[in-house]
Amino acid sequence: QVQLVESGGGSVQAGGSLRLSCAVFGAADASYCMAWFRQTPGKERDWVASITSNGFTSYREGRFTISRDNAESILYLQMNSLKAEDTAMYYCAAVIRDGACDSSPIHYNYWGQGTQVTVST
């Protein structure tokens, strides 16, 4: 069973940076897409960035960088120049597959518990 555990959220002032981490357990031998999503109360979960098993990345925001350390089974999201509208609960997600990653949350079947990011002005 794949388990994802996020960390690194917190409160930061606008213009600051945060790095989120997501530790992956139980999928060391599999090829999988990983992604970050975010959600605010009453809204749908929105795609932020994704990365394939071989490192191909896609982004919603040029201020964010997704990366993965396959040896350590950790996914990262570096967020720079944060804005108040980046405030949300951030979730990492995974699906075991080769090839391109999807940006819709329905295609991911493993999720972390979320980590809150709050950006103040």
Side-chain angles (χ1 to χ4, degrees), residues 40-54:
T40 54
K43 296 193 175 181
E44 294 183 349
R45 196 165 289 190
D46 287 335
W47 173 78
V48 174
S50 56
I51 184 167
T52 67
S53 58
N54 59 8

Side-chain angles (χ1 to χ4, degrees), residues 2-121:
V2 176
Q3 291 185 325
L4 309 177
V5 180
E6 301 104 332
S7 60
S11 297
V12 64
Q13 292 214 326
S17 299
L18 280 175
R19 189 176 80 159
L20 307 182
S21 300
C22 175
V24 182
F25 302 94
D29 296 329
S31 295
Y32 48 99
C33 281
M34 295 205 71
W36 288 97
F37 290 81
R38 65 188 185 186
Q39 189 172 25
T40 54
K43 296 193 175 181
E44 294 183 349
R45 196 165 289 190
D46 287 335
W47 173 78
V48 174
S50 56
I51 184 167
T52 67
S53 58
N54 59 8
F56 181 81
T57 57
S58 299
Y59 299 97
R60 172 195 182 105
E61 294 277 351
R63 299 176 288 117
F64 297 172
T65 302
I66 189 172
S67 61
R68 64 194 291 171
D69 182 334
N70 287 335
E72 298 293 331
S73 296
I74 302 176
L75 176 73
Y76 298 102
L77 183 69
Q78 177 69 42
M79 303 186 293
N80 298 324
S81 302
L82 283 162
K83 304 176 182 179
E85 52 262 44
D86 295 320
T87 295
M89 184 73 77
Y90 283 72
Y91 297 90
C92 69
V95 58
I96 297 177
R97 63 171 294 174
D98 284 318
C101 295
D102 209 283
S103 59
S104 172
I106 65 172
H107 294 283
Y108 294 82
N109 50 358
Y110 301 108
W111 291 87
Q113 80 287 356
T115 186
Q116 178 68 36
V117 171
T118 302
V119 184
S120 58
T121 56

